[in-house]
Structures are given as C-alpha cells and as structure tokens.
Amino acid sequence: MQNLTEQPITAADKTFFQLRKDIVEGVVLAGSKLSETELSTKYGVSRAVIREAINRLESCHIVERKANVGARVVSLSPEGLVDLYQVRESLEGMAARLAAQNMTDAEIADLNALLNVHSEDVKNHGSYYQEAGDVDFHYRIILGSKNNHLIAMLINGIYHLVRMYRVQLGMSGPRVSTAFDEHKHIVQAICNRDGELAEMLMRRHILYSKNNIQRKLTPQREA
Amino acid sequence: MQNLTEQPITAADKTFFQLRKDIVEGVVLAGSKLSETELSTKYGVSRAVIREAINRLESCHIVERKANVGARVVSLSPEGLVDLYQVRESLEGMAARLAAQNMTDAEIADLNALLNVHSEDVKNHGSYYQEAGDVDFHYRIILGSKNNHLIAMLINGIYHLVRMYRVQLGMSGPRVSTAFDEHKHIVQAICNRDGELAEMLMRRHILYSKNNIQRKLTPQREA
DNA sequence: TCTGCAAAAGATGTCGACAATATAGCAAAT
DNA sequence: ATTTGCTATATTGTCGACATCTTTTGCAGA
C-alpha cells in the first residue's frame, strides 16, 4: 500500500516520506520536538532538506511549527480526534456521494473485486485487514470522487493523521468484520448509483470508527 | 481584513504573504511560471526564502510544483472552480452548523453588529462590500466553528484560492444585496441555534456564489 | 536564598556556492 | 526536410557557513 502514484524523486521527497512514516508509526513519538540538526545527522541529509520535509509535514497538520522556536510532532488528544473525524466525515461522505456519481463501471467492478479479496483476508488472518485493506478501500472511494481538490486534501492532507491515530491507538478486534460489512453496503450503494445513501453510510461508518478509537483514548483514568 | 492573527515574523513569512497577495490579485498571472532566481531578485531575498514561500503556496493549491522542473501558478478553469466550490460547500456548510452550536452569545452579538455595518456599506458604496465584508463574514463563521482542523483547512488552505477566482473573475453587481440578505438569514439561523438550517442556507449561499462566477468563466466564446 | 540581569550556548533563519537535472539549440545522418 | 543525438545553457536541488533569535546558565546584588 501507500504506492498511490507517490514516488519519491528528490532527497527531500524521500526524507519527507520516511519521516512521515516514522511519525505515523510512532517511531518518532507524538508531542516530541523535531530538532533540525539532529534529524539532519539521523537521516544523513542537509538541514535544508530536513526543513523542506518539516514544512510539508506542517501542511499535513502532522507537526506544528513556531517561528524561531522549532517544530513539534502534534499530540494525540480527544479534542483533536473529534475535530479530525468531523472533517473526515464531511469530506469522505462527500467523496462517497461523488464516487457513486463519477466512478466508471470498470472501477466499480474493481472495487467489488477488492472487497472479495478482503473477505478472504478477514476469514484467514483477520487483523491484517484493518491496516492495509481498510486504507486501500477508502483510497479507492476518494479517488473515485474525481474531485482533485478533495483527493489532494484527503490523501496528501488529513489521511496520514488519521492513520497516526489509528496505528498508535490501535483498533479493537470485533470491529473488523463489522467494518467489512459496512464497506460492503457502501459499495452496494455505489453500484446502484445511489449517492445519497452512499454518503450517509460512509458518514456512519466513519462515525463508528471514531467512537471505536475514542473508547481507547478517553478512559485514561488508570494511568 | 486579512489580519486574522496572521502576522509575518520571518522574511519567509513576509515573502509568502506578499507573493500570495500578488498571485491572488493577478499581479502575477495565473498559469505563469515562478522562477526562483527571478523572484529572489524581485523580492530582494535569497532563493531559500523563495523556495519556502513557494512550498507553502503549493500546500494552499495556489501553485503546482514538479520536481526538477519548477513551479507554476495554477490556471483558473471551470473544472477547478467546480471542484473547489464543491469542497467549500461541504466544509463551510459544516462550519455554519458547528458555529450555530459552538459560538458564544457574545460572538453572535458581534456577528450581528458586523452585519449592521455591512448594511450601511451596501447602502453607501455597495461594491466594496463584496471583497472585504463578505470575506470577513465567512471568516467569522469559520472561526465560530471552533474546529481547529476545519479552520486551518479553510483559512490557510482553500480560502485564498477562492478569493483568487473571485478577484480575477469579478462578481456581478446585483448579487451584492442578494448575498447580504443570505448572510442575514444565516446569522438568524445561528441566533436560533438551528445548525441544520444554518448549514443548508450556507450551502445554498455558496452554490449561488459559484453559479455567479461560473457565468463569467464558462461563456468565453467571444474571445 | 532568591531575584534579575548578562553572557554564553544552542537553536532556527538566511545566504551564496556547488551539484544534478531538464530544456533549448545545433549539428549530423537518414 | 525531418529526425536523432550531442552540447551548452539555465533552472532546480543540495550543501555548509554565517546571522539572528531563544533559551539556558551563571554571577552579582538585595
């Protein structure tokens, strides 16, 4: 996954992808400071390259920069999660509606095929599905919207932050098969070219997903 | 306007704001190439500063960059307008709904006061209203949503591109008073804490606005 | 011992130079 | 005459050094 026409060309590209991956997967801790000199030795590139990578991460809302002070990785907070998922609900709901309207029959057939593969994955080794398959599913719907602004905002913008919450807070077991059923219903609505229903189902799907993560994030009384 | 806590600190900030202004207002033409060396002499700063400014403009979708080739200002196209306004409708509709829910009574009172000022402006010198007042109105609703992701995406992200379309394609005369009435109804819905209605009215308001610009953009047969 | 200023250390911001890549122009061959 | 391949030029990408700002440290005075 993650090979969605995103091919690194320059050193800044590579560093950006690597650093983003390290942050999303928690190798670089949430809330930690990003020292330019430190990172430049760690990744073996000049500070200029690091600065460009950090600038790009800032526009994804993965890091926050203050002038003359430096950059920090964002902290994962319940408020941040709510804000993020509200936006995501709105944008991906819209993507589903547009996808029902704009995807070609061939693309919809492909999407159905993907679903069948996922069905096998869930039966065999259920947990892997969530990270790779779910992202792939959502990517296809987003691309199916054919709205370039929407695609850019979601894929280059907020999606990696979504992944950061999901990877670092984990997702519970029983929801895997439930989520798969929700995907099936969404695809069915798209097959029927029913944009309104697709949007509504996608919004609920994302809402459930948010509640699921929220349960992991909110009850931190035992800490 | 445009003084929304956005204060330039570094040279890169100043250059970014200036270059963005020049592009939005058409001083730097849409579709033109942005040469780094040329801009660095023009704005009297080093190429590193120019590069940072261009990077930031790229994340606003105001310029497009290709590796080892360079950056170009985006072209204003009917498709781009539709894509942009679809997203805007969704996000600002959401902002209106959240504003009805999250703005304080004091903030709503302020908003009403702003509306009265605009009412005078329309009576006196109607045309000025559109550029300054309308933006200000929308800014307040966006900020009133209290959703930081939404605020960042709209204000740092797509709003300057919206302004670019509006400034460069102009807006017709009779719509000024119509738009003002629409603003009044939206504020009324927010006063009543009716989020659903506020969202619907905002979406229609933006839809009308899009149609208005589209009329200027599409019929280019006489060229 | 505590407060406050000052100097030093370390960070980010900016710059000019060099390296790598793409484009344009010209020459040669078909 | 057209196309192909090379060369020259110009632009972008990367680097290390210097300037400026922030933060910390340490000393002096109350």
Side-chain angles (χ1 to χ4, degrees), chain A residues 10-12 45-49 68-69:
Chain A
T10 69
V45 290
S46 78
R47 270 186 56 222
V49 171
N68 290 316
V69 174

Short mmCIF file of all heavy atoms in Angstrom, two decimals, chain A residues 10-12 45-49 68-69, chain D residues 13-18 20-23:
data_model
loop_
_atom_site.label_atom_id
_atom_site.label_comp_id
_atom_site.label_asym_id
_atom_site.label_seq_id
_atom_site.Cartn_x
_atom_site.Cartn_y
_atom_site.Cartn_z
N THR A 10 13.25 13.50 -5.33
CA THR A 10 14.38 14.19 -4.72
C THR A 10 14.66 13.62 -3.33
O THR A 10 13.89 12.83 -2.79
CB THR A 10 14.08 15.69 -4.59
OG1 THR A 10 13.05 15.86 -3.61
CG2 THR A 10 13.61 16.26 -5.91
N ALA A 11 15.79 14.06 -2.76
CA ALA A 11 16.12 13.64 -1.39
C ALA A 11 15.09 14.17 -0.41
O ALA A 11 14.76 13.50 0.58
CB ALA A 11 17.51 14.15 -1.03
N ALA A 12 14.57 15.36 -0.68
CA ALA A 12 13.55 15.92 0.20
C ALA A 12 12.30 15.04 0.20
O ALA A 12 11.67 14.84 1.23
CB ALA A 12 13.20 17.34 -0.26
N VAL A 45 21.14 13.85 5.63
CA VAL A 45 20.94 14.89 4.62
C VAL A 45 21.17 16.25 5.27
O VAL A 45 21.30 16.35 6.49
CB VAL A 45 19.52 14.83 4.02
CG1 VAL A 45 19.34 13.60 3.16
CG2 VAL A 45 18.47 14.87 5.13
N SER A 46 21.19 17.28 4.44
CA SER A 46 21.46 18.62 4.98
C SER A 46 20.23 19.18 5.67
O SER A 46 19.11 18.68 5.52
CB SER A 46 21.88 19.55 3.86
OG SER A 46 20.76 19.98 3.13
N ARG A 47 20.43 20.25 6.39
CA ARG A 47 19.32 20.87 7.11
C ARG A 47 18.27 21.41 6.15
O ARG A 47 17.07 21.40 6.48
CB ARG A 47 19.83 21.99 8.01
CG ARG A 47 20.20 21.53 9.41
CD ARG A 47 20.54 22.71 10.28
NE ARG A 47 19.48 23.69 10.33
CZ ARG A 47 19.65 25.00 10.27
NH1 ARG A 47 20.85 25.49 10.17
NH2 ARG A 47 18.62 25.80 10.33
N ALA A 48 18.69 21.87 5.00
CA ALA A 48 17.72 22.40 4.04
C ALA A 48 16.70 21.34 3.66
O ALA A 48 15.49 21.62 3.56
CB ALA A 48 18.45 22.90 2.80
N VAL A 49 17.16 20.12 3.46
CA VAL A 49 16.26 19.03 3.11
C VAL A 49 15.31 18.73 4.27
O VAL A 49 14.10 18.56 4.08
CB VAL A 49 17.07 17.76 2.75
CG1 VAL A 49 16.17 16.57 2.59
CG2 VAL A 49 17.86 18.01 1.48
N ASN A 68 11.24 30.76 14.88
CA ASN A 68 12.41 30.94 15.75
C ASN A 68 12.42 30.02 16.96
O ASN A 68 13.24 30.19 17.86
CB ASN A 68 12.53 32.38 16.24
CG ASN A 68 12.92 33.32 15.12
OD1 ASN A 68 13.81 33.00 14.34
ND2 ASN A 68 12.25 34.44 15.02
N VAL A 69 11.53 29.07 17.00
CA VAL A 69 11.48 28.14 18.13
C VAL A 69 11.69 26.71 17.65
O VAL A 69 12.53 25.99 18.17
CB VAL A 69 10.15 28.26 18.89
CG1 VAL A 69 10.07 27.19 19.96
CG2 VAL A 69 10.03 29.64 19.51
P DG D 13 13.43 21.61 -7.26
OP1 DG D 13 12.47 20.50 -7.32
OP2 DG D 13 13.15 22.80 -6.45
"O5'" DG D 13 14.84 21.02 -6.81
"C5'" DG D 13 15.24 19.75 -7.32
"C4'" DG D 13 16.50 19.27 -6.63
"O4'" DG D 13 17.58 20.19 -6.92
"C3'" DG D 13 16.42 19.18 -5.11
"O3'" DG D 13 17.05 17.98 -4.67
"C2'" DG D 13 17.17 20.41 -4.62
"C1'" DG D 13 18.22 20.60 -5.71
N9 DG D 13 18.66 21.97 -5.89
C8 DG D 13 17.87 23.08 -6.15
N7 DG D 13 18.56 24.18 -6.28
C5 DG D 13 19.88 23.78 -6.10
C6 DG D 13 21.09 24.54 -6.13
O6 DG D 13 21.22 25.75 -6.33
N1 DG D 13 22.20 23.73 -5.91
C2 DG D 13 22.16 22.38 -5.68
N2 DG D 13 23.33 21.79 -5.48
N3 DG D 13 21.05 21.66 -5.65
C4 DG D 13 19.95 22.42 -5.87
P DT D 14 17.02 17.53 -3.10
OP1 DT D 14 17.00 16.06 -3.05
OP2 DT D 14 15.97 18.33 -2.42
"O5'" DT D 14 18.45 18.02 -2.56
"C5'" DT D 14 19.62 17.51 -3.17
"C4'" DT D 14 20.85 18.18 -2.59
"O4'" DT D 14 20.91 19.56 -3.02
"C3'" DT D 14 20.91 18.21 -1.05
"O3'" DT D 14 22.01 17.41 -0.63
"C2'" DT D 14 21.10 19.69 -0.71
"C1'" DT D 14 21.55 20.31 -2.03
N1 DT D 14 21.16 21.73 -2.23
C2 DT D 14 22.13 22.68 -2.40
O2 DT D 14 23.32 22.41 -2.39
N3 DT D 14 21.67 23.95 -2.59
C4 DT D 14 20.36 24.37 -2.62
O4 DT D 14 20.07 25.54 -2.80
C5 DT D 14 19.38 23.33 -2.43
C7 DT D 14 17.92 23.67 -2.45
C6 DT D 14 19.83 22.08 -2.25
P DC D 15 22.27 17.12 0.91
OP1 DC D 15 22.87 15.78 1.03
OP2 DC D 15 21.04 17.44 1.65
"O5'" DC D 15 23.38 18.20 1.27
"C5'" DC D 15 24.57 18.23 0.47
"C4'" DC D 15 25.35 19.51 0.73
"O4'" DC D 15 24.59 20.63 0.23
"C3'" DC D 15 25.64 19.80 2.19
"O3'" DC D 15 26.99 19.49 2.50
"C2'" DC D 15 25.36 21.30 2.34
"C1'" DC D 15 25.03 21.78 0.94
N1 DC D 15 23.93 22.78 0.90
C2 DC D 15 24.22 24.13 0.66
O2 DC D 15 25.39 24.48 0.48
N3 DC D 15 23.21 25.03 0.62
C4 DC D 15 21.96 24.62 0.81
N4 DC D 15 20.99 25.54 0.76
C5 DC D 15 21.63 23.26 1.05
C6 DC D 15 22.65 22.37 1.10
P DG D 16 27.44 19.21 3.96
OP1 DG D 16 28.48 18.17 3.93
OP2 DG D 16 26.23 19.02 4.79
"O5'" DG D 16 28.13 20.59 4.40
"C5'" DG D 16 29.21 21.10 3.63
"C4'" DG D 16 29.43 22.57 3.92
"O4'" DG D 16 28.25 23.32 3.52
"C3'" DG D 16 29.69 22.91 5.39
"O3'" DG D 16 30.78 23.82 5.47
"C2'" DG D 16 28.38 23.54 5.85
"C1'" DG D 16 27.88 24.21 4.57
N9 DG D 16 26.44 24.41 4.51
C8 DG D 16 25.48 23.50 4.84
N7 DG D 16 24.26 23.95 4.68
C5 DG D 16 24.44 25.25 4.21
C6 DG D 16 23.49 26.23 3.86
O6 DG D 16 22.26 26.16 3.89
N1 DG D 16 24.11 27.41 3.43
C2 DG D 16 25.47 27.60 3.36
N2 DG D 16 25.87 28.79 2.91
N3 DG D 16 26.37 26.69 3.68
C4 DG D 16 25.78 25.54 4.10
P DA D 17 31.32 24.33 6.87
OP1 DA D 17 32.79 24.26 6.84
OP2 DA D 17 30.56 23.66 7.95
"O5'" DA D 17 30.89 25.87 6.84
"C5'" DA D 17 31.30 26.69 5.74
"C4'" DA D 17 30.73 28.09 5.87
"O4'" DA D 17 29.29 28.03 5.66
"C3'" DA D 17 30.94 28.74 7.24
"O3'" DA D 17 31.24 30.12 7.07
"C2'" DA D 17 29.59 28.55 7.92
"C1'" DA D 17 28.64 28.67 6.74
N9 DA D 17 27.34 28.02 6.94
C8 DA D 17 27.12 26.74 7.38
N7 DA D 17 25.84 26.44 7.47
C5 DA D 17 25.20 27.59 7.05
C6 DA D 17 23.83 27.91 6.91
N6 DA D 17 22.85 27.05 7.19
N1 DA D 17 23.52 29.15 6.48
C2 DA D 17 24.52 30.00 6.20
N3 DA D 17 25.84 29.81 6.29
C4 DA D 17 26.11 28.57 6.72
P DC D 18 31.82 30.93 8.32
OP1 DC D 18 33.04 31.58 7.83
OP2 DC D 18 31.83 30.05 9.50
"O5'" DC D 18 30.72 32.06 8.55
"C5'" DC D 18 30.34 32.90 7.46
"C4'" DC D 18 28.98 33.53 7.73
"O4'" DC D 18 27.98 32.48 7.82
"C3'" DC D 18 28.88 34.33 9.03
"O3'" DC D 18 28.38 35.62 8.73
"C2'" DC D 18 27.91 33.52 9.89
"C1'" DC D 18 27.06 32.83 8.83
N1 DC D 18 26.38 31.61 9.30
C2 DC D 18 24.99 31.52 9.21
O2 DC D 18 24.35 32.48 8.75
N3 DC D 18 24.36 30.40 9.64
C4 DC D 18 25.07 29.38 10.14
N4 DC D 18 24.41 28.30 10.54
C5 DC D 18 26.49 29.45 10.23
C6 DC D 18 27.10 30.56 9.81
P DT D 20 22.48 39.85 11.71
OP1 DT D 20 21.92 41.01 11.00
OP2 DT D 20 23.62 40.00 12.67
"O5'" DT D 20 21.28 39.11 12.49
"C5'" DT D 20 20.20 38.57 11.75
"C4'" DT D 20 19.33 37.72 12.67
"O4'" DT D 20 20.02 36.49 13.00
"C3'" DT D 20 18.99 38.38 14.01
"O3'" DT D 20 17.58 38.32 14.18
"C2'" DT D 20 19.74 37.55 15.04
"C1'" DT D 20 19.77 36.19 14.35
N1 DT D 20 20.85 35.28 14.81
C2 DT D 20 20.53 34.00 15.17
O2 DT D 20 19.39 33.57 15.12
N3 DT D 20 21.58 33.23 15.57
C4 DT D 20 22.92 33.61 15.66
O4 DT D 20 23.77 32.83 16.03
C5 DT D 20 23.18 34.97 15.27
C7 DT D 20 24.58 35.48 15.33
C6 DT D 20 22.15 35.74 14.87
P DC D 21 16.87 39.29 15.28
OP1 DC D 21 15.82 40.05 14.60
OP2 DC D 21 17.91 39.98 16.05
"O5'" DC D 21 16.17 38.22 16.24
"C5'" DC D 21 15.33 37.21 15.67
"C4'" DC D 21 15.33 35.98 16.56
"O4'" DC D 21 16.66 35.42 16.62
"C3'" DC D 21 14.93 36.25 18.01
"O3'" DC D 21 13.71 35.56 18.30
"C2'" DC D 21 16.09 35.72 18.85
"C1'" DC D 21 16.82 34.80 17.87
N1 DC D 21 18.27 34.67 18.14
C2 DC D 21 18.80 33.42 18.48
O2 DC D 21 18.04 32.44 18.56
N3 DC D 21 20.13 33.30 18.73
C4 DC D 21 20.92 34.38 18.63
N4 DC D 21 22.22 34.21 18.87
C5 DC D 21 20.41 35.66 18.28
C6 DC D 21 19.09 35.77 18.04
P DT D 22 13.03 35.77 19.78
OP1 DT D 22 11.59 35.85 19.52
OP2 DT D 22 13.73 36.84 20.50
"O5'" DT D 22 13.33 34.39 20.52
"C5'" DT D 22 13.28 33.17 19.79
"C4'" DT D 22 13.78 32.01 20.65
"O4'" DT D 22 15.22 32.00 20.70
"C3'" DT D 22 13.31 32.03 22.11
"O3'" DT D 22 12.83 30.74 22.45
"C2'" DT D 22 14.54 32.41 22.89
"C1'" DT D 22 15.67 31.87 22.03
N1 DT D 22 16.95 32.62 22.13
C2 DT D 22 18.12 31.93 22.42
O2 DT D 22 18.16 30.73 22.61
N3 DT D 22 19.25 32.72 22.47
C4 DT D 22 19.32 34.09 22.27
O4 DT D 22 20.39 34.68 22.34
C5 DT D 22 18.06 34.74 21.97
C7 DT D 22 18.04 36.21 21.75
C6 DT D 22 16.96 33.98 21.91
P DT D 23 12.15 30.50 23.91
OP1 DT D 23 11.05 29.55 23.71
OP2 DT D 23 11.90 31.83 24.51
"O5'" DT D 23 13.30 29.78 24.74
"C5'" DT D 23 14.00 28.68 24.14
"C4'" DT D 23 15.23 28.34 24.95
"O4'" DT D 23 16.24 29.36 24.77
"C3'" DT D 23 14.99 28.25 26.47
"O3'" DT D 23 15.40 26.97 26.91
"C2'" DT D 23 15.86 29.37 27.06
"C1'" DT D 23 16.90 29.58 25.98
N1 DT D 23 17.48 30.95 25.93
C2 DT D 23 18.84 31.11 25.97
O2 DT D 23 19.62 30.17 26.06
N3 DT D 23 19.27 32.42 25.90
C4 DT D 23 18.48 33.54 25.80
O4 DT D 23 18.97 34.66 25.74
C5 DT D 23 17.05 33.30 25.76
C7 DT D 23 16.11 34.46 25.66
C6 DT D 23 16.62 32.03 25.82
#
